[in-house]
Amino acid sequence: MSSFSFIHAADLHLGSPFQGLALKDAAVAAVFVEASRKAFSTLVGLAIERRVDFFVIAGDVYDGDWKDNKIGLFFNREMARLERAGIPVYLLRGNHDAASVITKTITLPPNVHEFPTAKPGSFKLEALRVALHGQGFAERSANDNLALSYPAPVAGWFNLGILHTSLTGREPHAPYAPCSVDDLRSRGYDYWALGHVHDYEVVAWDPLVIFPGNLQGRNIRERGAKGAVLVTVEDGRIEHERLIVDEARFAQVDIVVGPEDDQTAILRRVEQAVQPVADDMAGRMTALRVRLSGETPLHGAIAANRQQWRDEVEAACHRVHEDIWLEKLELRLVPPPERAADADGALDLRQLLAEHAGGADIAVEAGRLIDEIAVRLPGGLGATEQPLDDSMEALIEEARQLLLARGQGAA
């Protein structure tokens, strides 16, 4: 068996709009939009620099249908760079760029080879004795076990399966093309290049089954380093390494405050927690979520003056590093036990909320209000899983804290 190398990438999501960020800060959103393109350009540059023999993309090149041809032209430009370097590309469609989703086209250079969507297909690299097998999505939703229909391996060759799948389930990703590792193993291939899951994961070693993750984090759930995988095969021995190419990152810090902490102490804790994030940025802008929890007599004042506290926390982040942007301040604060009871004879607002805030009627009413607000949000944000950027339970808790703070202020 010959020696060769290839890059395994997936989930480029070119054209992702970062709508949630755009509502908070258009300039920051623009940085993340550009970061997605820069990450892919960097990866193409590494492919050329490392002189890989071929390039694999396991689905979701695009985030959805194009508003115009700009994103198609960008992808064509990068494919043309690989064409000039003599590097063929093998890709398939995932749920975001299924055949039924993408209506616009740009003619790509001849080095780009796309797997069929009606049934599995194969490409053979005779000089390398490599066979690539794959099937793309015809529709956005693929509920069948596609892997079981993949062809038998080519005897004596290196066989590579390419599949966009959730396997047996990877929350919060939708369950598309479900299958098990045993299903993959039954095909007798040497390597499985998977896509759809945005976290890097070595699923199995025999054979090697890998999710490379996406190239660029798109929201707070997609934190940490992002990139692709460089696979090297020498006389049948397979090695791989991650290629980190993301240009901007999401991060989160959790800070526990105590009853003795005043505002200065809390902000000092923020700076201390943010410092390791700053040390790991390596020139990347970072959108940071800060979660404050714990017991504090300041919980009412903080809830009642959330915007002021948000600004103070963002200022603390900037004192650590100018390229840390506060994506959200999340409050999970409670009063100390001795402050929990209301004054004698006063309305026990805390008890009243405890009795009713978790009721079914409150959840129904909250859902109705969220639906009313969601339809007024721009750019289709109301159709997302969390249109107000938080769960219903978290929003109800935030409202409860605000009511308690106002109730104390009126006492």
Side-chain angles (χ1 to χ4, degrees), residues 88-115:
V89 179
Y90 301 90
L91 60 85
L92 51 75
R93 295 173 181 260
N95 55 296
H96 277 264
D97 54 4
S100 64
V101 172
I102 303 298
T103 62
K104 298 179 177 66
T105 60
I106 287 289
T107 302
L108 295 172
N111 66 318
V112 180
H113 309 278
E114 182 179 329
F115 289 96

Side-chain angles (χ1 to χ4, degrees), residues 159-195:
N159 287 266
L160 193 159
I162 305 168
L163 181 62
H164 200 76
T165 178
S166 58
L167 291 181
T168 54
R170 294 291 191 280
E171 293 291 343
H173 302 283
Y176 293 143
C179 63
S180 67
V181 172
D182 284 341
D183 292 335
L184 302 182
R185 190 173 285 127
S186 72
R187 307 321 300 152
Y189 297 169
D190 301 283
Y191 182 95
W192 278 94
L194 304 185

Side-chain angles (χ1 to χ4, degrees), residues 72-85:
L73 289 169
F74 167 76
F75 186 64
N76 172 77
R77 186 190 75 185
E78 297 304 317
M79 293 298 96
R81 291 175 62 197
L82 294 173
E83 162 77 7
R84 290 190 290 272

Side-chain angles (χ1 to χ4, degrees), residues 61-310:
V61 171
Y62 307 112
D63 193 60
D65 204 12
W66 315 341
K67 293 180 179 179
D68 53 45
N69 284 337
K70 289 181 181 177
I71 199 64
L73 289 169
F74 167 76
F75 186 64
N76 172 77
R77 186 190 75 185
E78 297 304 317
M79 293 298 96
R81 291 175 62 197
L82 294 173
E83 162 77 7
R84 290 190 290 272
I87 300 173
V89 179
Y90 301 90
L91 60 85
L92 51 75
R93 295 173 181 260
N95 55 296
H96 277 264
D97 54 4
S100 64
V101 172
I102 303 298
T103 62
K104 298 179 177 66
T105 60
I106 287 289
T107 302
L108 295 172
N111 66 318
V112 180
H113 309 278
E114 182 179 329
F115 289 96
T117 58
K119 61 180 182 179
S122 300
F123 294 103
K124 294 182 178 179
L125 284 67
E126 296 283 350
L128 300 177
R129 295 176 63 82
V130 170
L132 301 95
H133 315 283
Q135 179 179 351
F137 285 20
E139 304 290 338
R140 180 180 289 275
S141 179
N143 300 317
D144 296 333
N145 186 334
L146 302 181
L148 292 180
S149 299
Y150 275 41
V154 178
W157 287 34
F158 185 91
N159 287 266
L160 193 159
I162 305 168
L163 181 62
H164 200 76
T165 178
S166 58
L167 291 181
T168 54
R170 294 291 191 280
E171 293 291 343
H173 302 283
Y176 293 143
C179 63
S180 67
V181 172
D182 284 341
D183 292 335
L184 302 182
R185 190 173 285 127
S186 72
R187 307 321 300 152
Y189 297 169
D190 301 283
Y191 182 95
W192 278 94
L194 304 185
H196 184 53
V197 174
H198 290 184
D199 291 325
Y200 168 74
E201 181 184 355
V202 179
V203 179
W205 290 90
D206 184 22
L208 197 56
V209 180
I210 293 181
F211 284 113
N214 54 348
L215 296 189
Q216 173 61 55
R218 302 183 304 151
N219 55 57
I220 193 61
R221 295 188 299 275
E222 298 178 355
R223 300 191 291 270
K226 298 292 182 179
V229 174
L230 173 66
V231 181
T232 302
V233 180
E234 294 185 4
D235 298 324
R237 187 178 70 256
I238 308 172
E239 296 182 353
H240 73 279
E241 65 173 289
R242 290 191 75 190
L243 301 176
I244 305 303
V245 297
D246 58 335
E247 294 283 337
R249 286 184 184 170
F250 288 87
Q252 178 175 310
V253 293
D254 295 271
I255 301 162
V256 179
V257 304
E260 72 285 353
D261 290 330
D262 58 12
Q263 175 173 326
T264 300
I266 292 174
L267 295 177
R268 188 180 304 116
R269 287 184 183 275
V270 171
E271 293 181 22
Q272 292 170 346
V274 170
Q275 187 61 58
V277 176
D279 294 341
D280 194 43
M281 287 171 61
R284 300 174 178 87
M285 172 176 278
T286 298
L288 179 68
R289 179 169 294 191
V290 174
R291 177 182 292 167
L292 294 180
S293 63
E295 295 181 355
T296 173
L298 296 177
H299 84 285
I302 293 174
N305 298 280
R306 174 182 285 268
Q307 184 58 50
Q308 178 63 32
W309 269 88
R310 188 196 186 286

